[in-house]
Amino acid sequence: MGRVVLVTGVSRLVGGMTCRALAADESLDRVIAIDTVPPLHSLGRADFIRADIRNPIMGKILAQEKVDTVLHLGVIMTPKQAGGRTLQKEINVIGTMQLLAACQKADSVERLVVKSSSSVYGCSPRDPAMFTEDMSARRNPTGGFGRDSVEVETYVRGLARRRPDIDVTMLRMANLVGPGLRTTFSEYFSLPVLPVPLGFDGRFQVLHINDAVAVLQRAAKADGLSGTINVAGSGMLTIRQAARIAGKPFVPVLPQSGAVVQQLGGMLGGSGAFDAEQMQFLQFGRGMDTTRMRTMLDFTPEHSTTSAFRDVLGAPGRKNANLGEARV
């Protein structure tokens, strides 16, 4: 029996690249691409269906096409991508609820893979050195993409309880970096001068977009795989190490000045690239244990945190600089 895979969010970069990679896999019988607008990039042999995951039509698509595997990559990372924070939340949360409801009713669905984010762990001075998948945030995200991700995961766990016959996998990915990929994280490092909280130097991990696509492709085909898995490149960097690799000067700011810095962001970078909610991340950073990624998925990213950052955000002449990595 052929495999039929449905991928949401294909008009954006990660969704489009993942859909194209799956379409090139001859072991899959068919790949169906879903989004509200036609993508500008090629999806290979995938069949594109223009549809909104918030619409009940998703149930008909799953049933008629006999979809057995769903990759939900339609969670939007920044308000700019959605056309505003209100629409971003509606697509992320309400859209996910409707898609999961359609999956619950579809007898053909056997596997669900959801792209989640390390942002669910929040940022706090009480955080562990490394979060494992069984740990919860010491301080929950208060808004934006992080809060949406927490709500999305709650609804996904609900589906897993109601349909234990579906293999449900959530991939909590570190900050993604890649050519042409614009996120709050990448836009911060696009500023000509980086605001850094006075007295702090947060640690972080990143995941190269090529590795993100590879791990999504593997999860889509992993029979019997279920649960939550952290995904990140090996090693860590600190904000100041990253600033040196990016060739950017940084200026110390008071940790309480996030809102003020955000207002000045447009003056600094011309795009309002700084988000006040980033300040806690810049202070305390975040680390994830990736043991499950290597054992359950048998996956090791090709790029480490440092090599991925250098490849995408490193300044010319500094991409090969030996600055080391932060160690726990």
Side-chain angles (χ1 to χ4, degrees), residues 265-277:
M267 298 172 59
L268 289 172
S271 62
F274 186 83
D275 185 336
E277 294 181 6

Side-chain angles (χ1 to χ4, degrees), residues 31-90:
V31 178
I32 301 171
I34 299 291
D35 214 322
T36 54
V37 295
L40 298 177
H41 40 254
S42 170
L43 298 177
R45 67 180 175 94
D47 297 318
F48 176 74
I49 298 178
R50 188 168 185 171
D52 191 329
I53 61 173
R54 295 169 291 177
N55 194 303
I57 196 175
M58 289 302 303
K60 295 181 180 179
I61 294 173
L62 292 175
Q64 291 176 1
E65 305 298 340
K66 295 181 172 55
V67 173
D68 60 79
T69 302
V70 175
L71 268 72
H72 181 32
L73 313 183
V75 178
I76 300 175
M77 289 184 282
T78 67
K80 290 180 183 179
Q81 293 175 322
R85 171 59 190 150
T86 300
L87 189 55
Q88 179 194 23
K89 182 175 180 62
E90 184 176 334

Side-chain angles (χ1 to χ4, degrees), residues 179-234:
L181 182 65
R182 297 190 64 181
T183 66
T184 304
F185 179 82
S186 65
E187 288 194 3
Y188 168 75
F189 283 101
S190 73
L191 291 168
V193 179
L194 305 181
V196 175
L198 181 64
F200 295 89
D201 194 15
R203 309 160 306 131
F204 66 88
Q205 297 156 302
V206 299
L207 181 68
H208 196 284
I209 191 171
N210 292 344
D211 289 320
V213 170
V215 75
L216 286 165
Q217 186 176 12
R218 177 163 298 194
K221 299 179 61 180
D223 292 328
L225 178 70
S226 61
T228 303
I229 301 175
N230 293 334
V231 184
S234 62

Side-chain angles (χ1 to χ4, degrees), residues 18-272:
T18 302
C19 184
R20 187 164 60 246
L22 289 168
D25 190 334
E26 296 182 357
S27 69
L28 301 179
D29 185 60
R30 190 178 178 202
V31 178
I32 301 171
I34 299 291
D35 214 322
T36 54
V37 295
L40 298 177
H41 40 254
S42 170
L43 298 177
R45 67 180 175 94
D47 297 318
F48 176 74
I49 298 178
R50 188 168 185 171
D52 191 329
I53 61 173
R54 295 169 291 177
N55 194 303
I57 196 175
M58 289 302 303
K60 295 181 180 179
I61 294 173
L62 292 175
Q64 291 176 1
E65 305 298 340
K66 295 181 172 55
V67 173
D68 60 79
T69 302
V70 175
L71 268 72
H72 181 32
L73 313 183
V75 178
I76 300 175
M77 289 184 282
T78 67
K80 290 180 183 179
Q81 293 175 322
R85 171 59 190 150
T86 300
L87 189 55
Q88 179 194 23
K89 182 175 180 62
E90 184 176 334
I91 294 172
N92 289 350
V93 179
I94 305 303
T96 297
M97 289 176 61
Q98 296 293 343
L99 178 64
L100 296 180
C103 290
Q104 181 177 337
K105 296 176 182 177
D107 294 334
S108 63
V109 175
E110 302 173 352
R111 181 179 292 101
L112 170 68
V113 178
V114 178
K115 175 183 170 292
S116 188
S117 166
S118 62
S119 62
V120 300
Y121 293 120
C123 298
S124 162
R126 298 182 291 113
D127 287 350
M130 290 290 197
F131 278 101
T132 66
E133 292 85 350
D134 297 325
M135 294 179 178
S136 58
R138 301 298 193 270
R139 178 185 293 167
N140 288 323
T142 57
F145 175 64
R147 184 171 179 178
D148 289 355
S149 297
V150 171
E151 293 189 51
V152 164
E153 286 202 2
T154 299
Y155 294 125
V156 172
R157 285 190 291 269
L159 173 69
R161 289 191 296 269
R162 293 188 297 272
R163 284 286 305 271
D165 57 310
I166 297 179
D167 293 327
V168 177
T169 305
M170 288 190 292
L171 301 179
R172 286 179 182 161
M173 296 187 177
N175 289 300
L176 296 184
V177 295
L181 182 65
R182 297 190 64 181
T183 66
T184 304
F185 179 82
S186 65
E187 288 194 3
Y188 168 75
F189 283 101
S190 73
L191 291 168
V193 179
L194 305 181
V196 175
L198 181 64
F200 295 89
D201 194 15
R203 309 160 306 131
F204 66 88
Q205 297 156 302
V206 299
L207 181 68
H208 196 284
I209 191 171
N210 292 344
D211 289 320
V213 170
V215 75
L216 286 165
Q217 186 176 12
R218 177 163 298 194
K221 299 179 61 180
D223 292 328
L225 178 70
S226 61
T228 303
I229 301 175
N230 293 334
V231 184
S234 62
M236 305 186 81
L237 284 172
T238 69
I239 296 298
R240 294 169 191 251
Q241 284 176 328
R244 289 192 286 272
I245 292 174
K248 298 294 180 71
F250 53 86
V251 56
V253 297
L254 293 176
Q256 302 85 355
S257 64
V260 176
V261 175
Q262 180 174 343
Q263 293 179 356
L264 294 174
M267 298 172 59
L268 289 172
S271 62

